[in-house]
Amino acid sequence: MSAAATVTTPWRGVSRTVWVLVVARAVNRIGAFTLPFLGVVLAVEFGASLAETGVILAVFGAATIPSRLLGGQLADRLGRRLTIVLGLTGCAVAQLWIALSHALWSAVPATILLGLAFEIYEPPSQAMIADVTEPADRPAAYGLYSAALAAAGVLAGLLAAAISHWDLRWLFVADAVTCLSCAVLVALALPADVRRERPAEPVTTGSVWRDRRLLLLLAGGTMFATIYMQLIIGLPLTLLEQGLPKSGTGIILAISAVTLIAAQRLLRVQHLDDFRAIAIGYVLVAAGLVVTAFAHNLVLFVGASIFWSLGDLFLLTRYLTQASGLAPDEARGRYLAVFGLSWGIATTIAPLTVTQLLKTTGPTGLWLTTAAAAAVLALLQPWFRKRLAPA
């Protein structure tokens, strides 16, 4: 596991393959604004109660856990490119099903199918970046990946704000179209999958799960992902509670994306090691969550998003750098899949914690509790440093 690479310019050493993958995922990201609105769609379009919405979103999150594991297995066995195409196509089918649904009984299985396909493409995408990038350049490569997704997120947020004035199911149609576009671009522009030679002593799925450092990193990543998913799921519901327009979520997401892009270009954080960068990130996220807890108008919510977006800059890329650094080359897809379970677990937990805390403590209690968790994680980084050090 390496500390942050010292580079003089952003994204030096990034290969053409990474650029193609980044462009493809950016195309997909333009339409990938459905998840923050999924709870609102279930409640507004299909008449689900707050409790039913929380349970359905939790089931969706649980479905992403086998999805991520399947993506890792397929990435190491079938190849990165084919796995990405399969995952994106599955997402498109599920999203079109949701869009065509006219009752909750139809939308629920479509949501579960979306969960089962939702994470398949992530392990091969992340593994492919690590495959073609030197360890010292991986923070910059993952930073480019995040910046491109954020850039596409600007347009995504604006599109979401515009489309949300109509039937919200059109969001899923738009996302399905961009998923299919991304799949075509990946199939045509990325190099063909190379058949990998099996090592003399193959890394089994069991041995991946026996790596204690990976499991500890999974625990830390799950706590971060839960905070992140609480923002994604809880922000639209909080705006709804405050009586603010549904389009406000799209505006906030667009401002968040602009912040992340500008920070990528203006801030030089590569000289920080992973653990110090993560600690700073959690402090910024906690600050943004405190502002969110007391926000009652769109301006304050936008101000809060700037803080937690800056925190994401420090957090997203460093966790991926740490996970890819632990993995042997022949098992990178499976290592990243196991680490990526943090998102499936978080997507299962967050809907329940968000809806329950909103119900019992209101928006203030929800976001102050989440801010406290972020502050604790910042303080725990020296402890993580000692236990994640190479043996």
Side-chain angles (χ1 to χ4, degrees), residues 27-118:
V27 170
N28 177 224
R29 179 69 179 89
I30 290 172
F33 39 65
T34 55
L35 186 56
F37 289 90
L38 184 55
V40 178
V41 168
L42 292 170
V44 174
E45 301 293 336
F46 300 111
S49 67
L50 187 62
E52 288 172 335
T53 298
V55 171
I56 295 168
L57 290 177
V59 172
F60 165 82
T64 67
I65 295 175
S67 172
R68 174 77 69 154
L69 290 174
L70 178 61
Q73 289 286 343
L74 294 177
D76 287 338
R77 298 182 186 279
L78 297 183
R80 319 302 199 207
R81 186 176 70 173
L82 178 58
T83 303
I84 294 170
V85 171
L86 289 174
L88 290 167
T89 303
C91 284
V93 170
Q95 287 159 339
L96 287 174
W97 185 356
I98 293 173
L100 293 172
S101 295
H102 292 285
L104 190 61
W105 64 264
S106 177
V108 169
T111 300
I112 295 171
L113 177 62
L114 180 60
L116 291 171
F118 197 74

Side-chain angles (χ1 to χ4, degrees), residues 364-380:
T364 301
L366 166 64
W367 299 119
L368 287 180
T369 302
T370 310
V376 169
L377 287 167
L379 294 173
L380 283 176

Side-chain angles (χ1 to χ4, degrees), residues 6 9 59 75 78 85 92 125 143 149 156 167 169 173 201 223 237 268 290 318 333 345-346 352 364 375 384:
T6 302
T9 59
V59 172
L78 297 183
V85 171
S125 298
L149 296 183
D167 190 322
R169 283 173 289 192
V173 174
E201 296 183 3
M223 289 183 279
L237 295 175
R268 294 291 182 264
V290 170
R318 298 313 177 102
I345 296 168
L352 300 176
T364 301
F384 277 101

Side-chain angles (χ1 to χ4, degrees), residues 318-336:
R318 298 313 177 102
Y319 273 119
L320 284 173
T321 300
Q322 290 181 331
S324 63
L326 287 177
D329 291 347
E330 68 276 7
R332 187 167 286 132
R334 279 165 287 173
Y335 263 72
L336 287 168

Side-chain angles (χ1 to χ4, degrees), residues 29 50 63 75 93 133 203 213 283 306 321 351 385:
R29 179 69 179 89
L50 187 62
V93 170
T133 307
V203 179
R213 290 188 298 156
V283 170
I306 292 173
T321 300
R385 182 195 296 276

Side-chain angles (χ1 to χ4, degrees), residues 135-176:
D137 293 319
R138 283 175 192 162
Y142 286 125
L144 171 62
Y145 190 71
S146 298
L149 296 183
V154 176
L155 182 56
L158 296 176
L159 283 173
I163 296 175
S164 60
H165 289 293
W166 306 332
D167 190 322
L168 291 173
R169 283 173 289 192
W170 280 106
L171 295 169
F172 293 86
V173 174
D175 201 357

Side-chain angles (χ1 to χ4, degrees), residues 168-344:
L168 291 173
R169 283 173 289 192
W170 280 106
L171 295 169
F172 293 86
V173 174
D175 201 357
V177 170
T178 58
C179 277
L180 291 174
S181 301
C182 179
V184 170
L185 183 56
V186 166
L188 295 179
L190 284 181
D193 292 315
V194 177
R195 191 174 185 83
R196 298 172 183 274
E197 295 184 5
R198 294 177 180 265
E201 296 183 3
V203 179
T204 65
T205 300
S207 63
V208 171
W209 282 102
R210 287 192 294 271
D211 189 325
R212 293 183 179 180
R213 290 188 298 156
L214 176 61
L215 296 181
L216 181 59
L217 191 61
L218 171 60
T222 298
M223 289 183 279
F224 160 64
T226 301
I227 292 172
Y228 189 94
M229 290 309 302
Q230 287 196 164
L231 269 168
I232 293 295
I233 294 169
L235 185 62
L237 295 175
T238 298
L239 294 183
L240 207 61
E241 287 277 316
Q242 299 285 12
L244 296 172
K246 292 179 291 184
S247 59
T249 299
I251 294 169
I252 292 169
L253 293 178
I255 297 295
S256 173
V258 170
T259 301
L260 190 57
I261 297 164
Q264 285 273 1
R265 299 299 299 173
L266 297 176
L267 297 181
R268 294 291 182 264
V269 299
Q270 290 87 355
H271 66 283
L272 296 172
D273 67 35
D274 290 336
F275 299 97
R276 188 170 299 175
I278 289 171
I280 293 171
Y282 277 126
V283 170
L284 289 167
V285 168
L289 291 170
V290 170
V291 177
T292 303
F294 297 102
H296 295 286
N297 58 62
L298 197 57
V299 173
L300 286 175
F301 280 108
V302 167
S305 74
I306 292 173
F307 280 102
W308 44 257
S309 299
L310 289 173
D312 288 345
L313 170 66
F314 289 88
L315 292 165
L316 287 168
T317 60
R318 298 313 177 102
Y319 273 119
L320 284 173
T321 300
Q322 290 181 331
S324 63
L326 287 177
D329 291 347
E330 68 276 7
R332 187 167 286 132
R334 279 165 287 173
Y335 263 72
L336 287 168
V338 169
F339 172 72
L341 290 180
S342 56
W343 292 98

Side-chain angles (χ1 to χ4, degrees), residues 119-133:
E119 297 285 351
I120 289 176
Y121 60 77
E122 284 294 352
S125 298
Q126 295 164 2
M128 183 176 282
I129 290 174
D131 289 343
V132 299
T133 307

